Amino acid sequence: MMLLGDKFPNFTANSTEGELDFHQWLGDSWGILFSHPSDFTPVCTTELARVIALHPEFAKRNVKVIGLSCDSIASHVEWCKDIKCYAGLNDEEKFPYPIIEDHDRSIAMKLGMVDKDELDTAGMPLTARCVFIVDPNKKFRLSFLYPATTGRNFDEILRVVDSLQLTDKAKVATPVDWKVGDDCMVLPTVPEDQLNNVFPQGVTIVPLPSGKNYLRKTACPIVQ
Ligand code: BEZ
Protein backbone atom coordinates (compact mmCIF):
# COMPACT_ATOMS: atom_id res chain seq x y z
CA MET A 1 0.00 0.00 0.00
CA MET A 2 1.23 3.43 -0.95
CA LEU A 3 1.62 5.88 1.94
CA LEU A 4 1.64 9.66 1.86
CA GLY A 5 5.23 10.79 1.42
CA ASP A 6 6.26 7.69 -0.58
CA LYS A 7 7.87 8.15 -3.96
CA PHE A 8 4.98 7.84 -6.43
CA PRO A 9 5.55 4.71 -8.55
CA ASN A 10 6.62 5.38 -12.12
CA PHE A 11 4.96 3.65 -15.08
CA THR A 12 4.85 3.81 -18.84
CA ALA A 13 1.51 4.13 -20.59
CA ASN A 14 -0.19 4.71 -23.88
CA SER A 15 -2.26 7.89 -23.88
CA THR A 16 -4.22 10.13 -26.20
CA GLU A 17 -0.98 12.12 -26.53
CA GLY A 18 1.16 9.02 -27.26
CA GLU A 19 3.44 6.80 -25.18
CA LEU A 20 4.61 8.37 -21.96
CA ASP A 21 6.80 7.73 -18.95
CA PHE A 22 4.82 9.19 -16.04
CA HIS A 23 7.76 10.74 -14.17
CA GLN A 24 9.24 12.20 -17.35
CA TRP A 25 5.86 13.54 -18.39
CA LEU A 26 5.54 15.27 -15.00
CA GLY A 27 8.92 16.96 -15.32
CA ASP A 28 9.14 19.68 -12.66
CA SER A 29 5.37 20.04 -12.31
CA TRP A 30 2.90 18.91 -9.73
CA GLY A 31 0.69 16.16 -11.13
CA ILE A 32 -2.89 14.98 -10.77
CA LEU A 33 -3.59 11.48 -12.01
CA PHE A 34 -7.33 10.79 -11.95
CA SER A 35 -9.22 7.72 -13.09
CA HIS A 36 -12.81 7.21 -14.17
CA PRO A 37 -14.85 4.00 -14.67
CA SER A 38 -15.49 4.16 -18.40
CA ASP A 39 -15.89 6.33 -21.48
CA PHE A 40 -19.28 7.51 -22.78
CA THR A 41 -20.84 7.59 -19.32
CA PRO A 42 -22.65 10.65 -17.97
CA VAL A 43 -20.91 11.42 -14.68
CA CYS A 44 -17.46 10.87 -16.20
CA THR A 45 -18.34 13.22 -19.05
CA THR A 46 -19.26 15.99 -16.58
CA GLU A 47 -16.04 15.42 -14.62
CA LEU A 48 -13.70 15.49 -17.59
CA ALA A 49 -15.46 18.57 -18.95
CA ARG A 50 -14.95 20.27 -15.56
CA VAL A 51 -11.25 19.48 -15.77
CA ILE A 52 -11.18 21.23 -19.17
CA ALA A 53 -12.80 24.31 -17.58
CA LEU A 54 -10.32 24.25 -14.67
CA HIS A 55 -7.29 23.51 -16.83
CA PRO A 56 -6.02 27.14 -16.80
CA GLU A 57 -6.31 27.14 -12.99
CA PHE A 58 -4.25 23.95 -12.74
CA ALA A 59 -1.68 25.38 -15.18
CA LYS A 60 -1.40 28.58 -13.08
CA ARG A 61 -0.46 26.38 -10.14
CA ASN A 62 2.12 24.39 -12.18
CA VAL A 63 -0.09 21.30 -12.05
CA LYS A 64 -0.36 18.86 -14.98
CA VAL A 65 -3.49 16.71 -15.11
CA ILE A 66 -3.89 13.32 -16.72
CA GLY A 67 -6.92 11.00 -16.87
CA LEU A 68 -7.01 7.20 -16.94
CA SER A 69 -9.56 4.49 -17.65
CA CYS A 70 -9.64 0.93 -18.92
CA ASP A 71 -11.02 1.93 -22.34
CA SER A 72 -8.91 2.06 -25.49
CA ILE A 73 -7.25 5.12 -27.02
CA ALA A 74 -9.67 4.88 -29.97
CA SER A 75 -12.58 5.06 -27.52
CA HIS A 76 -10.99 7.95 -25.57
CA VAL A 77 -10.43 9.91 -28.80
CA GLU A 78 -14.07 9.49 -29.88
CA TRP A 79 -15.36 10.33 -26.40
CA CYS A 80 -13.16 13.47 -26.20
CA LYS A 81 -15.39 14.97 -28.91
CA ASP A 82 -18.42 14.63 -26.61
CA ILE A 83 -16.49 16.00 -23.63
CA LYS A 84 -15.30 19.01 -25.62
CA CYS A 85 -18.85 19.66 -26.81
CA TYR A 86 -20.19 19.41 -23.24
CA ALA A 87 -17.41 21.76 -22.05
CA GLY A 88 -18.31 24.30 -24.74
CA LEU A 89 -15.16 23.81 -26.83
CA ASN A 90 -15.40 23.61 -30.60
CA ASP A 91 -14.12 20.62 -32.56
CA GLU A 92 -10.90 22.36 -33.65
CA GLU A 93 -9.81 23.19 -30.10
CA LYS A 94 -7.25 20.82 -28.61
CA PHE A 95 -8.29 18.56 -25.75
CA PRO A 96 -6.05 20.12 -23.09
CA TYR A 97 -4.81 17.04 -21.21
CA PRO A 98 -4.03 13.39 -22.01
CA ILE A 99 -6.06 10.31 -21.07
CA ILE A 100 -4.29 7.00 -20.46
CA GLU A 101 -5.63 3.65 -21.67
CA ASP A 102 -5.26 0.83 -19.18
CA HIS A 103 -6.85 -2.07 -21.00
CA ASP A 104 -5.12 -4.77 -18.94
CA ARG A 105 -5.57 -2.81 -15.65
CA SER A 106 -1.84 -3.05 -15.03
CA ILE A 107 -1.57 0.57 -13.85
CA ALA A 108 -4.88 0.53 -11.98
CA MET A 109 -3.93 -2.68 -10.14
CA LYS A 110 -0.46 -1.37 -9.29
CA LEU A 111 -1.89 1.85 -7.87
CA GLY A 112 -5.04 0.44 -6.24
CA MET A 113 -7.51 2.25 -8.49
CA VAL A 114 -9.96 -0.56 -9.30
CA ASP A 115 -13.45 -0.99 -7.87
CA LYS A 116 -14.28 -4.69 -7.47
CA ASP A 117 -18.01 -3.89 -7.51
CA GLU A 118 -17.91 -2.19 -10.93
CA LEU A 119 -17.42 -4.71 -13.70
CA ASP A 120 -17.27 -4.39 -17.47
CA THR A 121 -19.20 -6.71 -19.82
CA ALA A 122 -16.36 -9.26 -19.62
CA GLY A 123 -16.55 -9.28 -15.79
CA MET A 124 -13.29 -7.35 -15.36
CA PRO A 125 -13.20 -4.68 -12.61
CA LEU A 126 -13.36 -1.06 -13.75
CA THR A 127 -11.41 1.85 -12.40
CA ALA A 128 -12.98 3.83 -9.55
CA ARG A 129 -12.90 7.64 -9.34
CA CYS A 130 -9.44 7.89 -7.89
CA VAL A 131 -7.30 11.04 -7.59
CA PHE A 132 -3.59 11.08 -6.82
CA ILE A 133 -1.67 14.29 -6.27
CA VAL A 134 2.08 14.10 -6.78
CA ASP A 135 4.53 16.92 -6.05
CA PRO A 136 7.50 18.04 -8.20
CA ASN A 137 9.78 15.66 -6.22
CA LYS A 138 7.46 12.81 -7.33
CA LYS A 139 6.24 12.38 -3.77
CA PHE A 140 2.71 11.05 -3.25
CA ARG A 141 0.92 13.86 -1.40
CA LEU A 142 -2.83 13.22 -1.38
CA SER A 143 -5.52 10.85 -2.67
CA PHE A 144 -9.28 10.58 -3.01
CA LEU A 145 -11.18 7.40 -3.84
CA TYR A 146 -14.83 7.71 -4.87
CA PRO A 147 -17.20 5.06 -6.22
CA ALA A 148 -18.56 5.23 -9.78
CA THR A 149 -21.93 6.62 -8.69
CA THR A 150 -20.46 9.71 -6.96
CA GLY A 151 -18.89 12.39 -9.13
CA ARG A 152 -15.99 14.29 -7.65
CA ASN A 153 -15.83 17.98 -6.74
CA PHE A 154 -12.92 19.39 -8.74
CA ASP A 155 -13.12 22.72 -6.89
CA GLU A 156 -12.12 20.69 -3.84
CA ILE A 157 -9.19 19.22 -5.77
CA LEU A 158 -8.02 22.72 -6.67
CA ARG A 159 -8.52 23.78 -3.04
CA VAL A 160 -6.33 20.98 -1.71
CA VAL A 161 -3.61 21.86 -4.25
CA ASP A 162 -3.70 25.42 -2.85
CA SER A 163 -3.42 24.06 0.67
CA LEU A 164 -0.53 21.70 -0.20
CA GLN A 165 1.40 24.42 -2.00
CA LEU A 166 0.85 26.98 0.78
CA THR A 167 1.70 24.64 3.63
CA ASP A 168 4.89 23.52 1.85
CA LYS A 169 6.11 27.11 2.09
CA ALA A 170 4.66 28.58 5.32
CA LYS A 171 4.51 27.17 8.84
CA VAL A 172 0.73 26.90 8.77
CA ALA A 173 -2.03 24.35 8.31
CA THR A 174 -5.36 25.13 6.65
CA PRO A 175 -8.51 24.64 8.75
CA VAL A 176 -11.92 23.24 7.88
CA ASP A 177 -13.46 24.60 4.66
CA TRP A 178 -10.44 26.88 4.15
CA LYS A 179 -10.07 28.75 0.88
CA VAL A 180 -7.16 30.87 -0.37
CA GLY A 181 -7.07 34.12 1.60
CA ASP A 182 -8.82 32.75 4.69
CA ASP A 183 -7.05 32.67 8.05
CA CYS A 184 -4.74 29.72 8.66
CA MET A 185 -3.65 27.82 11.76
CA VAL A 186 -0.13 28.18 13.11
CA LEU A 187 1.62 24.78 13.11
CA PRO A 188 1.77 23.21 16.58
CA THR A 189 5.57 22.91 16.11
CA VAL A 190 6.10 26.70 16.17
CA PRO A 191 7.07 27.64 19.76
CA GLU A 192 5.28 30.57 21.39
CA ASP A 193 8.48 32.64 21.66
CA GLN A 194 8.91 32.51 17.85
CA LEU A 195 5.41 33.61 16.90
CA ASN A 196 6.32 37.28 16.33
CA ASN A 197 9.32 36.39 14.17
CA VAL A 198 7.57 33.80 12.04
CA PHE A 199 4.23 35.64 11.78
CA PRO A 200 4.85 39.41 11.75
CA GLN A 201 1.22 39.78 10.59
CA GLY A 202 0.19 38.63 14.08
CA VAL A 203 -1.31 35.58 15.72
CA THR A 204 -4.62 35.29 17.59
CA ILE A 205 -4.78 32.62 20.26
CA VAL A 206 -8.34 31.34 20.68
CA PRO A 207 -9.05 30.64 24.37
CA LEU A 208 -10.44 27.15 25.02
CA PRO A 209 -11.48 25.34 28.22
CA SER A 210 -8.28 23.24 28.25
CA GLY A 211 -6.16 26.41 28.50
CA LYS A 212 -3.61 24.77 26.18
CA ASN A 213 -3.34 27.67 23.68
CA TYR A 214 -3.06 25.38 20.67
CA LEU A 215 -5.65 27.04 18.44
CA ARG A 216 -3.56 29.86 16.98
CA LYS A 217 -4.86 31.74 13.94
CA THR A 218 -2.92 33.93 11.56
CA ALA A 219 -3.74 35.75 8.32
CA CYS A 220 -3.11 33.67 5.20
CA PRO A 221 0.62 34.09 4.45
CA ILE A 222 1.56 35.43 1.02
CA VAL A 223 3.99 32.99 -0.60
CA GLN A 224 5.58 33.00 -4.05
C1 BEZ B 1 -21.05 7.55 -14.98
O1 BEZ B 1 -19.99 8.09 -15.27
O2 BEZ B 1 -22.12 8.12 -15.13
C2 BEZ B 1 -21.05 6.18 -14.38
C3 BEZ B 1 -20.08 5.27 -14.73
C4 BEZ B 1 -20.11 3.99 -14.19
C5 BEZ B 1 -21.12 3.65 -13.28
C6 BEZ B 1 -22.06 4.59 -12.92
C7 BEZ B 1 -22.04 5.85 -13.47
Side-chain angles (χ1 to χ4, degrees), residues 6-222:
D6 282 350
K7 182 139 184 138
F8 195 84
N10 196 17
F11 56 84
T12 54
N14 198 12
S15 83
T16 48
E17 295 184 8
E19 290 278 332
L20 59 85
D21 170 290
F22 185 60
H23 283 188
Q24 257 178 30
W25 176 82
L26 282 171
D28 294 329
S29 300
W30 287 73
I32 295 182
L33 169 65
F34 70 104
S35 59
H36 60 272
S38 59
D39 297 355
F40 300 102
T41 49
V43 176
C44 300
T45 302
T46 62
E47 288 188 323
L48 275 81
R50 183 73 185 130
V51 177
I52 290 182
L54 290 177
H55 196 258
E57 292 300 321
F58 286 120
K60 244 192 258 174
R61 291 161 174 79
N62 188 31
V63 179
K64 286 181 154 185
V65 288
I66 188 162
L68 179 150
S69 84
C70 308
D71 294 298
S72 65
I73 294 297
S75 166
H76 289 342
V77 168
E78 272 308 297
W79 182 43
C80 282
K81 295 177 191 165
D82 286 358
I83 301 167
K84 283 202 298 186
C85 172
Y86 189 76
L89 263 57
N90 62 46
D91 234 12
E92 287 70 50
E93 284 177 277
K94 186 178 179 296
F95 198 90
Y97 57 91
I99 308 174
I100 291 169
E101 76 166 5
D102 191 26
H103 226 49
D104 64 0
R105 282 64 168 169
S106 57
I107 302 167
M109 293 302 289
K110 177 170 165 165
L111 299 176
M113 298 166 115
V114 293
D115 180 345
K116 67 179 177 51
D117 285 340
E118 285 293 332
L119 306 176
D120 67 10
T121 48
M124 295 264 284
L126 292 169
T127 28
R129 300 188 194 281
C130 186
V131 177
F132 290 121
I133 303 186
V134 183
D135 74 14
N137 297 316
K138 317 288 183 287
K139 232 190 219 186
F140 168 43
R141 298 295 300 275
L142 188 141
S143 67
F144 296 150
L145 186 57
Y146 282 39
T149 44
T150 304
R152 289 158 286 197
N153 181 332
F154 280 82
D155 290 324
E156 169 63 0
I157 295 171
L158 207 53
R159 190 190 76 88
V160 297
V161 168
D162 285 334
S163 173
L164 289 169
Q165 293 186 343
L166 171 68
T167 58
D168 273 0
K169 291 186 179 141
K171 290 182 191 301
V172 294
T174 61
V176 61
D177 296 339
W178 174 90
K179 298 180 299 311
V180 168
D182 289 352
D183 282 354
C184 295
M185 296 299 172
V186 172
L187 283 182
T189 48
V190 181
E192 206 152 333
D193 63 1
Q194 284 180 27
L195 290 178
N196 288 343
N197 271 348
V198 182
F199 301 102
Q201 70 269 38
V203 172
T204 304
I205 299 176
V206 179
L208 292 169
S210 68
K212 290 186 188 293
N213 290 345
Y214 60 88
L215 211 160
R216 304 177 296 177
K217 292 186 179 183
T218 191
C220 187
I222 298 176

